[in-house]
């Protein structure tokens, strides 16, 4: 199973670019978007829901930690 990092390395782009393609966000050239999408399709890439949930929880925890530190 390929990860976002694996796809990014093969496409020679950042993991952020791969993330923008996955979530259909702006900021990626059509040529790069096509290259990344072909690799996502080639490897039948699916988001790892567990990893996404853990990353989101970490962001929320950091947000609270930074907020409390500024009070």
């Amino acid at each position: 199973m390929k990860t976002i990092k694996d796809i990014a390395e093969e496409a020679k782009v950042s993991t952020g670019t791969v993330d923008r393609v996955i979530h259909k966000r702006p900021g990626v050239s059509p040529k790069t978007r096509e290259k990344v999408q072909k690799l996502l399709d080639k490897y039948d890439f699916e988001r790892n829901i567990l990893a996404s949930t853990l990353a989101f929880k970490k962001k929320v925890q950091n947000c609270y930690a930074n907020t409390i530190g500024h009070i």
Side-chain angles (χ1 to χ4, degrees), residues 36-56:
V36 171
Q37 189 61 55
K38 281 183 181 181
L39 288 172
L40 292 170
D41 294 342
K42 175 182 175 181
Y43 295 117
D44 198 26
F45 180 84
E46 290 185 21
R47 284 181 45 204
N48 183 324
I49 301 301
L50 178 59
S52 297
T53 302
L54 290 173
F56 177 76

Side-chain angles (χ1 to χ4, degrees), residues 14-51:
S14 70
T15 55
T17 298
V18 176
D19 184 72
R20 284 191 290 278
V21 172
I22 291 169
H23 295 100
K24 298 175 177 38
R25 294 188 181 124
V28 182
S29 74
K31 183 178 178 180
T32 301
R33 186 176 296 277
E34 183 179 344
K35 177 170 61 171
V36 171
Q37 189 61 55
K38 281 183 181 181
L39 288 172
L40 292 170
D41 294 342
K42 175 182 175 181
Y43 295 117
D44 198 26
F45 180 84
E46 290 185 21
R47 284 181 45 204
N48 183 324
I49 301 301
L50 178 59

Side-chain angles (χ1 to χ4, degrees), residues 56-67:
F56 177 76
K57 285 183 178 181
K58 186 175 181 179
K59 286 180 188 176
V60 170
Q61 288 172 346
N62 286 339
C63 178
Y64 286 131
N66 291 336
T67 302

